[in-house]
Each structure stands twice: as C-alpha cells, then as structure tokens.
C-alpha cells in the first residue's frame, strides 16, 4: 500500500498475495482513510451491495436430484442435473458461478466456488468425471457472454 507521487487520489494496493485476501476488508478501510487524508472527494455508491448470495446450496439427501454417468446432459433441468455426485453440485450451481461478477477461467475456479470436484473421488475420470462436465459448462456459459 503506497501513495503514488504525482497522481492525486490514487493508492497502489495491487499485488497482495494470499494473506491479502483475508486482510482485504481491513486494507480497504485503510485505503479509504488514506484517500480522505489526501483530500479526495469520496461518495458512497447507493447501488453497492457488500453481501453476495452463496453459491453452495445445502441439499437434503438426494431428493429431486438426477444422475447420469453415461449421458451428461440427459437431464434437461439444470437444477436437477448433478454435475458432481460426491458434493451433489448441480449444473445450475455451476452456471450461477460462471455468471457472477468474478470471471471464471478454469475448473479450479468453479471448484473453489461450488465444491464440484472436491469430494472423495477428487473428480476422478473413472468415477463420475465431473471435471469434464464442468469444462463443458464453462465453455458453453463463458462463450455465450
């Protein structure tokens, strides 16, 4: 966190590693304080919502979920089509993760947001091959934008 000489109302807070993710709310507060001290005019954004709905949806058993190991897209309802059987992640949850404000660029990004591929089989190709399913959804959803 440093001020950039010659550029008013700009504070460089880039290149913060993993500990910075957990510390980012405190860093934001500190940056706002430094901007105020520098005399910058700050306005609250009335459209800003600091609370995001969770992607991971707790399931009650297997009720309403449909599985198909052979034909990935046999089930047409994305809310029922299970992409990861170990974690019971549905196609709709992966679609929702793809459509959020943070860009998706890998199956690992989906894994962190939905837990698809984090179950006991670890996305094993010979088990349910959820990583291949996730890749197809990412390609379909991200190309549609």
């Amino acid at each position: 966190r440093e001020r950039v000489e010659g550029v008013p109302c700009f504070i460089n807070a880039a290149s913060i590693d993993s500990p910075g993710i957990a510390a980012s709310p405190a860093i934001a507060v500190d940056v706002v304080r430094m901007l105020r001290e520098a005399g910058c005019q700050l306005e609250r954004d009335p459209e800003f919502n600091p609370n995001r709905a969770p992607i991971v949806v707790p399931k009650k058993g297997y009720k309403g979920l449909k599985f198909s190991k052979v034909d990935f897209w046999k089930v047409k309802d994305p809310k029922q089509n299970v992409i990861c059987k170990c974690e019971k992640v549905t196609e709709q949850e992966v679609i929702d993760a793809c459509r959020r404000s943070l860009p998706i660029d890998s199956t690992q990004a989906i894994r962190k947001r939905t837990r698809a591929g984090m179950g006991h089989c670890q996305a094993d190709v010979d088990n349910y091959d959820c990583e291949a399913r996730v890749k197809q959804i990412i390609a379909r959803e991200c190309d549609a934008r």
Side-chain angles (χ1 to χ4, degrees), residues 65-73 75 80-89 117 121-134:
L65 301 177
K66 307 288 185 199
F67 299 82
S68 178
K69 183 175 180 175
V70 182
D71 184 1
F72 289 1
W73 315 114
V75 179
Q80 291 183 327
N81 188 19
V82 174
I83 299 304
C84 173
K85 75 173 185 171
C86 297
E87 293 291 326
K88 297 186 268 186
V89 177
C121 84
Q122 293 292 292
D124 183 5
V125 175
D126 294 326
N127 189 356
Y128 200 67
D129 200 14
C130 60
E131 190 162 18
R133 297 165 193 250
V134 168

